Amino acid sequence: MMTTPLPRRLAAEAVGTAVLAAVLVGSGIQASGLSPDGGVRFLANVLASVLALAVLIALLAPVSGAHFNPLVSAADWWSRRHDPAGPSARELGLYVLAQLGGAAAGVGLANAMFERPFVQLASQQRSSGHLWLAEGVATGVLILLVLGLLRSGRGRYAPVAVAAWIGAACWGTSSGSFANPALTFGRALSDSYTGIAPGSVPGFVLAQTAGATIGLALATLLFGAPLPAAAAGRDSAQAVAAPVVT
């Protein structure tokens, strides 16, 4: 069971998501200005984002679990909803609000650092069945990875494993692996390389939610029920994080 006071946990989730969003969007803007080559821009954006993700998980996991992703928080709540040591529905709601607020603030910070308006609605349309399928796959495997590590007592590997999956999914899926409703929402606030038009956000979020549901079911199928409360508490400090990338 995590003993960190809730306000500190919420602050960690907000700060971590904000920094992740700032690096994600900022590296995309920087790469776009430095290279005309699409592959080089994508590589730079993905590399900066996954490095930031690994560092932030390692830094903030002992404080909040380092979710930075509403679906990771929801999966944690659902899988431990009958465990007295698990998060409450109220805590889940507050985590999600902290993550959404952090994503918006981080994207605004990235915009400002590159002399853009703090809020600049994206114009890049991303609405297509193959993109939604890709988002479902990327998010489903993320949730399976997170819960599988925790249920098998290997939460300490989360910083490397989660960042590695996000990097692989960025290159291996057609959508670029957003896999995170908070960052998807944040990216709608920057009309830049990593942006997504506000009208495209609901489709992505629905696909991510469907993928997370399947990932949760697969985790139960492959790894069984969650660890007992004592073991889960021991590993919760290494919980997991969320994505990212272009």
Side-chain angles (χ1 to χ4, degrees):
M1 179 177 181
M2 300 194 73
T3 58
T4 306
L6 181 59
R8 284 177 57 193
R9 283 186 275 150
L10 296 177
E13 286 296 303
V15 170
T17 309
V19 173
L20 184 59
V23 172
L24 166 64
V25 173
S27 64
I29 297 172
Q30 183 82 288
S32 295
L34 293 176
S35 175
D37 186 279
V40 172
R41 292 198 300 266
F42 188 72
L43 177 62
N45 185 222
V46 171
L47 182 60
S49 299
V50 298
L51 288 175
L53 179 59
V55 168
L56 290 166
I57 297 173
L59 175 65
L60 295 175
V63 181
S64 68
H67 297 175
F68 316 143
N69 185 331
L71 291 176
V72 172
S73 298
D76 180 47
W77 167 75
W78 178 262
S79 63
R80 296 198 289 145
R81 65 193 183 282
H82 299 308
D83 185 345
S88 66
R90 173 177 173 271
E91 288 175 324
L92 170 61
L94 291 173
Y95 260 53
V96 172
L97 289 176
Q99 292 155 357
L100 290 171
V107 171
L109 177 61
N111 285 336
M113 287 193 293
F114 288 90
E115 297 185 299
R116 292 166 175 257
F118 190 83
V119 175
Q120 184 182 45
L121 295 182
S123 58
Q124 187 172 354
Q125 298 292 329
R126 300 180 188 254
S127 294
S128 180
H130 72 283
L131 298 179
W132 299 332
L133 175 61
E135 279 300 288
V137 171
T139 310
V141 176
L142 172 68
I143 297 302
L144 172 61
L145 173 62
V146 166
L147 296 181
L149 288 174
L150 292 177
R151 292 183 185 184
S152 61
R154 295 175 295 167
R156 62 189 178 279
Y157 297 123
V160 172
V162 171
W165 166 246
I166 292 304
C170 286
W171 284 96
T173 65
S174 59
S175 67
S177 181
F178 286 41
N180 184 331
L183 291 182
T184 303
F185 162 72
R187 287 157 68 136
L189 305 179
S190 180
D191 192 19
S192 61
Y193 178 70
T194 58
I196 176 172
S200 298
V201 170
F204 264 55
V205 172
L206 287 174
Q208 291 160 359
T209 302
T213 302
I214 294 172
L216 186 62
L218 286 173
T220 300
L221 174 66
L222 298 176
F223 295 95
L227 291 170
R234 185 169 60 248
D235 273 322
S236 66
Q238 294 295 337
V240 288
V244 285
V245 215
T246 77

